[in-house]
Amino acid sequence: QLQKDLEEVKELLTNATRKRVRDVLLAEKQKLELEMKNQPPPKPKDATEEEKLSLGGYTVKINNYGWDQSDKFVKIYISLNGVQKLPAENVQVNFTERSFDLLVKNLNGKNYTMTFNNLLKPISVEGSSRKIKTDMILVMCKKKREEKWDCLTQVEKESKEKEKAAYDTTDPSEGLMNILKKMYAEGDDEMKRTINKAWVESREKQYKGDIPMDI
């Protein structure tokens, strides 16, 4: 904005003939030049923002992957048709001690991203890498400690523990009830009829005194 003001003042100066008008314009010109000199330099664009602007196309989030592990590495396999044809710099992976994110730029006019936060255990940033294979990217996370991972992320672990707790109770009858409820909720009509029948029969036996415990 200041630059535009300055240009306009300069243009007016070239057309001004009266001394008083020229003096006013000169003073304004000096003032604007001083303001521009004292202005802070423009902030560099945020790298990620610049990255997004340069991407073009639209971005697809990758949800499908496979994984396994060795003593030293956790390996994540991501299938992407034709990825081997891209320049290597178009496949970027950023690692931290407990996360990584993948960005694939301009593959058939689309960009692909995948992010893993809260990895189950810490990884070595320096020792981790990615390999581009035919129609596949292999992300190699170097384990900090050579130990088995039960799952990839902390969230998965907590989810498994909650599920296990639902069926692993100190009261066997409560555990059985939870399993039956799950089977009933997920079963077809035939399964529901079978469970209902078993439930009715167990209640009848209980009332007759055959079964002292409510199952």
Side-chain angles (χ1 to χ4, degrees):
Q1 191 64 41
L2 287 172
Q3 183 65 41
K4 286 182 180 175
D5 290 347
L6 182 60
E7 284 167 12
E8 197 166 316
V9 168
K10 283 179 180 176
E11 196 177 326
L12 289 169
L13 260 171
T14 57
N15 298 321
T17 52
R18 299 176 66 82
K19 183 178 183 302
R20 189 170 174 186
V21 174
R22 283 183 65 80
D23 288 347
V24 170
L25 289 170
L26 279 168
E28 186 62 27
K29 177 174 170 281
Q30 287 168 355
K31 182 182 166 191
L32 284 167
E33 285 172 343
L34 187 65
E35 272 188 59
M36 285 179 68
K37 191 179 174 183
N38 293 333
Q39 243 190 347
K43 285 184 182 177
K45 277 187 182 176
D46 183 54
T48 52
E49 186 186 330
E50 203 161 278
E51 189 78 30
K52 283 177 190 169
L53 291 172
S54 69
L55 285 175
Y58 64 93
T59 300
V60 179
K61 193 173 178 183
I62 302 169
N63 293 313
N64 295 325
Y65 63 91
W67 76 284
D68 70 12
Q69 60 186 309
S70 63
D71 290 340
K72 295 183 178 179
F73 287 93
V74 169
K75 305 167 191 176
I76 297 95
Y77 301 89
I78 300 125
S79 295
L80 278 177
N81 286 336
V83 70
Q84 73 278 7
K85 296 172 188 171
L86 288 176
E89 61 269 20
N90 280 32
V91 181
Q92 301 169 0
V93 184
N94 294 314
F95 296 95
T96 73
E97 193 175 71
R98 293 297 288 269
S99 74
F100 73 84
D101 61 85
L102 165 72
L103 171 64
V104 180
K105 294 193 284 184
N106 198 21
L107 176 60
N108 301 321
K110 298 174 191 173
N111 309 301
Y112 293 84
T113 63
M114 172 181 260
T115 301
F116 274 92
N117 292 317
N118 300 314
L119 289 171
L120 186 66
K121 298 176 189 291
I123 60 172
S124 161
V125 175
E126 299 78 18
S128 298
S129 61
R130 59 105 178 99
K131 291 180 181 177
I132 302 169
K133 298 177 175 288
T134 305
D135 298 332
M136 181 184 287
I137 299 167
L138 171 58
V139 178
M140 308 270 292
C141 296
K142 174 80 182 293
K143 295 177 179 178
K144 275 213 166 176
R145 290 187 298 276
E146 294 186 15
E147 55 188 326
K148 189 185 174 199
W149 289 26
D150 297 323
C151 44
L152 270 180
T153 64
Q154 193 65 35
V155 174
E156 281 179 52
K157 184 187 176 188
E158 287 168 9
S159 174
K160 279 185 178 179
E161 284 174 351
K162 279 180 188 171
E163 196 171 319
K164 188 183 173 190
Y167 305 114
D168 183 21
T169 59
T170 50
D171 182 348
S173 64
E174 190 181 333
L176 179 59
M177 279 302 303
N178 283 330
I179 291 167
L180 285 172
K181 281 177 189 173
K182 186 174 183 351
M183 286 170 66
Y184 188 88
E186 295 174 359
D188 56 17
D189 290 341
E190 185 62 36
M191 174 68 77
K192 286 177 180 174
R193 278 196 293 272
T194 304
I195 292 172
N196 276 332
K197 186 181 174 192
W199 174 252
V200 170
E201 286 174 359
S202 74
R203 300 294 287 184
E204 284 173 354
K205 284 181 183 178
Q206 182 197 348
Y207 290 139
K208 288 175 185 175
D210 295 343
I211 300 176
M213 180 176 69
D214 182 1
I215 63 163

